[in-house]
DNA sequence: GTTTCTTTTGCAAATTTATACATTTTATTT
DNA sequence: AAATAAAATGTATAAATTTGCAAAAGAAAC
């Protein structure tokens, strides 16, 4: 939804001399389409624009996207998606946990249990985060000061567990300091 | 700066069975490089990694970047830059004004002056924002309720003015409602 | 209206990025 | 340790994106 209804924003770009009206309408439409749907290539976007009655080549689209500062980012669903400036964050918030500093140090396995090492004092909060995932794979956790014991359910492999954590706790493995 | 010094994070990925140590070190280095410098192509990144002693092909890099969810976004300086997830925002904060809702409607020119129309009551705040730019091009502004008069300095063209505003007030032209 | 200057766009080529497939490497199981 | 399974990587190629250049379209100046 844009602030100006079509009728209105049509004139929002009247620079006094009928500049680039068509181009700006196209740019608006591009923003709308990208904000609304998961677009993963310029050709795909081009086809959508053509349906709307715009005529253009992919080369122009490349320039438009550059002008609009639209980024192309990897996406689990579609492979890659175009995202509007400022919207990148939102699209990453699907996961429960945020990219906070968990104090994670390492994970190891023994006796069918996962042993997570953390910085001193960080075990509790990371264990809590893991509990909050409510994941089937995790039967329960026990936290000390700098160590967490993860008890996997029967049949859950260490690999399943690592996958789960990597998927649901982004930033756990690669955690830069702010 | 990473939380774990090299010596430490070397072992942060000991999953109990010597998994992918080399790969993870490379991934860490990629994150470091991308966070630190303005990298605009995979080949460029590859060369940097080779200097660090890593051996790999561009294909692997493409996969690594996908895994790390590194986005490629347009950048005024370098054309395009790779950005870490969560860091996109920061790289856009160089400009004074933020992507707020300015109530901007249109801009026109007459008598050598710029006439900006805004939504009712928005003239004052947008004029203030423009004043805060402290731009040479603008000798001064006068704001009513929904209209701003911009007085350009001698020799400043309407084009200069539009360029200035587009450059310094991102989102002025394309402003989606939140 | 005509001329001049600027911007936009398409075309084609260059560059950059992604991926299918085969191979190697690494982990898991027996 | 051997066999099996899974993951990572290179090679070659396909796909996608960017860009130089020339033409067209649009504004500005005259």
């Amino acid at each position: 939804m844009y602030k100006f209804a079509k009728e209105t924003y049509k004139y929002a770009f009247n620079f006094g001399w009928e500049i680039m009206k068509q181009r700006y309408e196209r740019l608006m439409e591009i923003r709308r389409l990208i904000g609304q749907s998961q677009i993963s290539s310029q050709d795909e976007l081009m086809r959508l624009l053509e349906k709307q009655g715009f005529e253009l080549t992919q080369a122009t689209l490349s320039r438009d996207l550059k002008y609009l500062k639209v980024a192309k980012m990897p996406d689990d669903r579609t492979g890659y998606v175009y995202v509007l400036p400022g919207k990148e964050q939102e699209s990453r918030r699907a996961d429960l946990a945020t990219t906070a500093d968990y104090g994670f140090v390492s994970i190891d396995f023994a006796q069918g249990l996962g042993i997570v090492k953390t910085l001193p004092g960080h075990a509790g909060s990371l264990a809590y985060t893991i509990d909050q995932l409510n994941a089937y794979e995790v039967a329960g956790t026990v936290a000390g000061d700098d160590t967490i014991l993860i008890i996997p359910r029967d049949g859950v492999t260490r690999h399943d567990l690592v996958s789960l954590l990597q998927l649901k706790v982004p930033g756990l493995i690669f955690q830069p300091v702010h």
Side-chain angles (χ1 to χ4, degrees), chain A residues 8 12 15 20-21 26 40 44 59 63 70-71 78 87 103 107 116 121 123 126 142-143 162 168:
Chain A
T8 309
F15 281 65
M20 305 174 286
K21 193 159 62 177
R26 186 183 66 231
S40 51
E44 181 184 346
R63 294 177 182 117
V70 169
T78 57
K87 298 290 180 190
I107 184 173
V116 173
L126 178 51
V142 184
V162 170
K168 293 291 184 60

Side-chain angles (χ1 to χ4, degrees), chain A residues 1-5 9 27-28 30-33 84:
Chain A
M1 265 284 277
Y2 282 85
K3 167 186 301 230
F4 310 111
Y9 75 65
L27 292 172
M28 295 295 279
I30 290 173
R31 279 191 62 112
R32 195 182 66 75
L33 286 169
L84 296 175

Side-chain angles (χ1 to χ4, degrees), chain A residues 3-21:
Chain A
K3 167 186 301 230
F4 310 111
K6 212 153 201 193
E7 282 309 294
T8 309
Y9 75 65
K10 202 168 178 179
Y11 301 104
F13 308 114
N14 174 4
F15 281 65
W17 65 110
E18 292 276 307
I19 199 176
M20 305 174 286
K21 193 159 62 177

Side-chain angles (χ1 to χ4, degrees), chain A residues 53-125:
Chain A
F54 293 93
E55 284 185 24
L56 76 167
T57 61
Q58 174 272 326
T60 297
L61 212 38
S62 174
R63 294 177 182 117
D64 285 353
L65 293 178
K66 187 173 189 176
Y67 177 82
L68 292 172
K69 296 230 192 320
V70 169
K72 188 188 186 185
M73 72 184 268
D75 179 82
D76 289 331
R77 276 182 289 180
T78 57
Y80 295 86
V81 227
Y82 283 96
V83 289
L84 296 175
K87 298 290 180 190
E88 304 94 341
Q89 299 289 36
E90 295 175 27
S91 58
R92 296 183 196 274
R93 282 186 193 139
D95 303 295
L96 172 67
T98 60
T99 312
D101 178 358
Y102 300 105
F104 173 82
V105 172
S106 68
I107 184 173
D108 209 329
F109 291 88
Q111 306 294 330
L113 304 175
I115 293 115
V116 173
K117 293 284 186 181
T118 71
L119 295 181
H122 288 65
S125 67

Side-chain angles (χ1 to χ4, degrees), chain A residues 145-172:
Chain A
D145 179 63
D146 63 358
T147 304
I148 304 169
L149 214 58
I150 300 181
I151 300 105
R153 285 195 194 286
D154 292 341
V156 172
T157 67
R158 50 181 76 172
H159 176 260
D160 293 335
L161 212 51
V162 170
S163 296
L164 171 74
L165 295 178
Q166 289 212 340
L167 180 67
K168 293 291 184 60
V169 193
L172 181 62

